[in-house]
Amino acid sequence: AQSVTQLGSHVSVSEGALVLLRCNYSSSVPPYLFWYVQYPNQGLQLLLKYTSAATLVKGINGFEAEFKKSETSFHLTKPSAHMSDAAEYFCAVITISGGYQKVTFGTGTKLQVIP
Amino acid sequence: EAGVAQSPRYKIIEKRQSVAFWCNPISGHATLYWYQQILGQGPKLLIQFQNNGVVDDSQLPKDRFSAERLKGVDSTLKIQPAKLEDSAVYLCASSWGTDTQYFGPGTRLTVL
């Protein structure tokens, strides 16, 4: 079984402040971890992914995430928030079983950036 | 490279009516996924195809939902009959094997 928990359904930060979106996972086998961003009325866009190589993963738009196995976490950060970062962010855990993906998404965190 | 295409983008129907959604994946992607995203929730996987075969439909409400992927390319998802609780965004995604999933823009379904 696998699961994803995103702490905080809504997060507000000031423009220029640090962004920290939390994701904890549970998996009985080594997972792949993803962060996706969703803008209003659009599909999900990949921000970054962890696939068992480097534990610190850099993504698009200045975002990065660190895989911490001991804490079962994959938190998303950005040093300085921009107005265009306002969106909903989803963490996902993927495991491979029988040659196909087993996918579980978190419930999402809506990021508000205050000017 | 063209992305995942979905149509229609919006659909409004009465309960007990039927509806169908279409998805065309990225060229060459053998794996196709359908998700249901209810407002305020994360996407929930409904069904996964590898080529034209189903590999996971454990969360598909089979009494009213069906999906097919003829010829291993595009796919349709059907709901018959629709219920109020089926109001959601239906997302299609595709991947090359077990690699990264790429999502389409989604179809927003409203059931009245």
Side-chain angles (χ1 to χ4, degrees):
Chain A
Q2 61 191 50
S3 65
V4 177
T5 302
Q6 290 186 241
L7 292 174
S9 58
H10 290 82
V11 170
S12 292
V13 300
S14 298
E15 189 174 17
L18 171 72
V19 175
L20 171 61
L21 304 182
R22 299 179 187 274
C23 173
N24 287 88
Y25 70 93
S26 171
S27 173
S28 56
V29 298
Y32 298 140
L33 295 160
F34 292 71
W35 276 100
Y36 282 89
V37 60
Q38 187 176 35
Y39 298 100
N41 298 315
Q42 295 187 26
L44 278 70
Q45 179 184 359
L46 179 69
L47 269 181
L48 49 80
K49 61 181 179 181
Y50 166 76
T51 56
S52 75
T55 56
L56 181 62
V57 181
K58 294 187 185 297
I60 62 171
N61 301 338
F63 285 93
E64 63 180 37
E66 186 171 8
F67 173 69
K68 292 187 176 180
K69 185 177 179 180
S70 61
E71 299 176 9
T72 61
S73 69
F74 191 56
H75 301 330
L76 182 70
T77 60
K78 182 174 180 177
S80 176
H82 191 272
M83 295 299 294
S84 60
D85 295 328
E88 191 155 20
Y89 293 79
F90 292 92
C91 182
V93 59
I94 294 176
T95 56
I96 308 301
S97 174
Y100 68 93
Q101 295 189 16
K102 184 173 173 57
V103 185
T104 304
F105 276 87
T107 52
T109 297
K110 197 164 285 187
L111 177 66
Q112 180 186 23
V113 181
I114 303 166
Chain B
E1 178 183 83
V4 177
Q6 290 188 249
S7 67
R9 289 297 313 276
Y10 305 91
K11 189 74 177 178
I12 301 173
I13 61 172
E14 302 274 337
K15 60 183 179 183
R16 292 187 290 272
Q17 285 186 322
S18 63
V19 64
F21 313 125
W22 175 81
C23 172
N24 191 37
I26 292 172
S27 178
H29 281 192
T31 311
L32 185 147
Y33 313 78
W34 282 103
Y35 290 87
Q36 180 192 58
Q37 186 179 18
I38 293 173
L39 187 64
Q41 298 182 21
K44 182 182 84 171
L45 181 67
L46 293 176
I47 189 167
Q48 181 181 166
F49 292 91
Q50 266 189 1
N51 297 304
N52 59 348
V54 176
V55 296
D56 184 4
D57 62 357
S58 56
Q59 299 194 90
L60 186 75
K62 298 179 185 65
D63 58 335
R64 298 183 300 106
F65 285 65
S66 64
E68 61 181 10
R69 191 183 183 196
L70 300 175
K71 300 181 181 178
V73 182
D74 56 351
S75 175
T76 56
L77 176 70
K78 297 179 182 177
I79 307 175
Q80 182 178 14
K83 293 185 175 182
L84 296 177
E85 59 261 36
D86 298 332
S87 293
V89 175
Y90 291 84
L91 295 165
C92 179
S94 69
S95 68
W96 193 86
T98 55
D99 204 346
T100 302
Q101 295 184 32
Y102 294 89
F103 284 80
T107 296
R108 182 177 298 275
L109 174 67
T110 302
V111 182
L112 302 175

